[in-house]
Amino acid sequence: MRAGLGLGIAAGLVISPITVAIASPPPQAVVTQFYQWLVQHQDQSRQQLRQQQHHFTPELYQQLTAAFRKQPQDGAWLDFDPFSFTQVSTLGMQVRKVTPSTTDPRSADVDIDVIAGLRGRRGTPVPIKVIMKKTGDRWQIDNLVYMSTWDNLRCILREINR
């Protein structure tokens, strides 16, 4: 009797449809995951960015990789870390605020402080606004706005890649 009961329950589980919603990580989790990777791969981040391609919109990823190939002899090149807007190491990151767009449910801003400085020393917070876009079921980084100057990464990359 127990074997039959077990089989009946198992058959019921197989026949019953189970719906599970697969939630993509929220925008702040995507940003946090990327910066955790960046801190760990500081010296190889430009060469290994492909590992993080899924965190970027295709357009931004294409612009970044094109700019990373540029050298000083090309006349324009990316001579700073685009993820910290500095020429020193990224030591960490803190999310300050997440603001969903009021006009587009597939857009959100993640305000962060990137902690940048020399390794082995205390860093300085650099405020950056990460513009996120939802493509399909995945949030991706679409642009960075450097709050100290209001420059943004896409515009800088467009100039470099001309």
Side-chain angles (χ1 to χ4, degrees):
M1 177 131 161
R2 287 189 182 189
L5 180 60
L7 185 57
I9 292 172
L13 289 176
V14 172
I15 295 171
S16 300
I18 298 174
T19 24
V20 178
I22 300 173
S24 64
Q28 65 270 25
V30 172
V31 173
T32 299
Q33 289 167 4
F34 170 72
Y35 275 92
Q36 286 172 343
W37 175 87
L38 181 65
V39 168
Q40 293 173 359
H41 295 86
Q42 201 70 206
D43 296 329
Q44 305 87 24
S45 62
R46 289 184 183 214
Q47 296 80 16
Q48 296 179 1
L49 189 65
R50 183 165 176 73
Q51 295 174 2
Q52 298 297 305
Q53 181 175 355
H54 61 284
H55 284 305
F56 298 95
T57 58
E59 299 83 12
L60 182 58
Y61 179 78
Q62 180 183 18
Q63 288 180 347
L64 274 167
T65 55
F68 285 163
R69 287 190 296 268
K70 300 279 185 163
Q71 299 297 316
Q73 59 268 24
D74 296 323
W77 73 100
L78 199 53
D79 66 343
F80 65 94
D81 180 343
F83 309 116
S84 69
F85 199 53
T86 67
Q87 292 181 325
V88 294
S89 297
T90 299
L91 306 173
M93 181 276 303
Q94 295 177 327
V95 174
R96 283 186 284 117
K97 178 173 75 170
V98 179
T99 309
S101 171
T102 57
T103 59
D104 182 1
R106 301 185 75 70
S107 181
D109 296 344
V110 180
D111 290 339
I112 64 173
D113 281 331
V114 174
I115 310 305
L118 298 175
R119 291 183 190 158
R121 297 197 181 160
R122 186 177 172 163
T124 303
V126 179
I128 296 177
K129 181 180 297 293
V130 183
I131 310 298
M132 303 294 292
K133 296 287 181 192
K134 192 167 188 182
T135 47
D137 66 344
R138 174 179 295 188
W139 285 98
Q140 295 179 306
I141 299 168
D142 189 52
N143 201 358
L144 300 177
V145 178
Y146 309 116
M147 303 305 288
S148 61
T149 62
W150 289 99
D151 287 321
N152 74 79
L153 182 57
R154 278 183 172 267
C155 286
I156 292 169
L157 294 175
R158 235 180 265 122
E159 288 296 315
I160 291 170
N161 292 326
R162 283 200 276 171

